[in-house]
Amino acid sequence: MSADAVRIGIVSVSDRASTGVYEDKGLPALKEWLTRALQNPITFESRLIPDEQSAISAALVELVDAGCSLVLTTGGTGPAVRDVTPEATLAVAHKEMPGFGEQMRQISLRFVPTAILSRQVAVIRDQSLILNLPGQPKSIAETLEGLKDAEGKQIVPGIFAAVPYCIDLIGGPYLETHDDVCKAFRPKSAVRAR
């Protein structure tokens, strides 16, 4: 049985990258990691937008309405005046999923004490999970994948391990991961027979 096709929205929020001042690294990092982690055929819907709350909210609604089961944002989650991605995300939420943000900060705290300044949130809108991720490509991978020791054994679970089951529960496609990148966790009763 072949894996379900999935449509994923990826959004990079940056004033400077959206105006061409520097090259956006968020979208390529998201695309690279998801392509490595998922067995599913993926259609990406990409957006590169400035730190404008109304524009971010509009992009999220548009991606959900376009059938994206998962929408990942990168950037705009710090305490600076222009960082409004969490507010824009919460503004379009039907349900908040606080565990994702808590775990992202736990992972990042292993590397930098300033991780407590990050305000990433996760929400559900309709049948879509929206996750705010950090802005740096290295942090994006660490947050999604978690931390492994030298032998590859998981020390701290990444947030993506819980994403496929969450998407099952909200009526989305069945996401299948490459276990060597990120092993999805589902209760035995929710695992699809091959």
Side-chain angles (χ1 to χ4, degrees):
M1 190 163 58
S2 62
D4 293 358
V6 61
R7 184 176 293 270
I8 299 177
I10 52 176
V11 181
S12 186
V13 180
S14 167
D15 283 336
R16 289 176 296 174
S18 67
T19 56
V21 174
Y22 66 75
E23 184 191 352
D24 172 63
K25 292 186 170 44
L27 294 174
L30 288 169
K31 199 175 279 193
E32 187 275 331
W33 192 88
L34 289 161
T35 303
R36 251 186 333 114
L38 287 172
Q39 296 180 34
N40 305 67
I42 307 168
T43 301
F44 288 105
E45 296 281 346
S46 305
R47 303 286 185 278
L48 175 56
I49 52 179
D51 292 277
E52 297 287 348
Q53 187 171 335
S54 59
I56 299 164
S57 289
L60 296 177
V61 169
E62 184 184 301
L63 291 167
V64 170
D65 290 351
C68 293
S69 311
L70 177 62
V71 178
L72 303 177
T73 72
T74 176
T77 59
V81 174
R82 297 282 297 164
D83 289 336
V84 293
T85 302
E87 288 75 16
T89 303
L90 291 168
V92 303
H94 294 149
K95 288 181 181 168
E96 212 176 323
M97 302 296 289
F100 284 104
E102 291 163 10
Q103 184 62 7
M104 284 189 252
R105 284 180 280 281
Q106 283 302 310
I107 293 166
S108 297
L109 275 167
R110 298 285 183 118
F111 299 98
V112 289
T114 51
I116 57 173
L117 303 179
S118 78
R119 302 180 308 115
Q120 290 107 325
V121 299
V123 304
I124 289 169
R125 178 180 176 85
D126 297 333
Q127 289 182 295
S128 203
L129 174 62
I130 303 172
L131 299 172
N132 297 160
L133 295 172
Q136 297 302 315
K138 183 176 179 288
S139 303
I140 290 169
E142 288 162 356
T143 300
L144 291 170
E145 208 164 313
L147 307 178
K148 296 176 179 148
D149 64 17
E151 286 81 52
K153 185 176 182 293
Q154 196 90 45
I155 304 168
V156 180
I159 62 162
F160 204 83
V163 167
Y165 185 52
C166 181
I167 290 175
D168 292 351
L169 292 172
I170 60 175
Y174 189 86
L175 299 185
E176 297 179 66
T177 57
H178 291 287
D179 290 356
D180 58 324
V181 178
C182 178
K183 185 170 173 43
F185 178 84
R186 287 180 168 95
K188 284 188 180 69
S189 60
V191 176
R192 188 186 279 179
R194 291 202 165 269

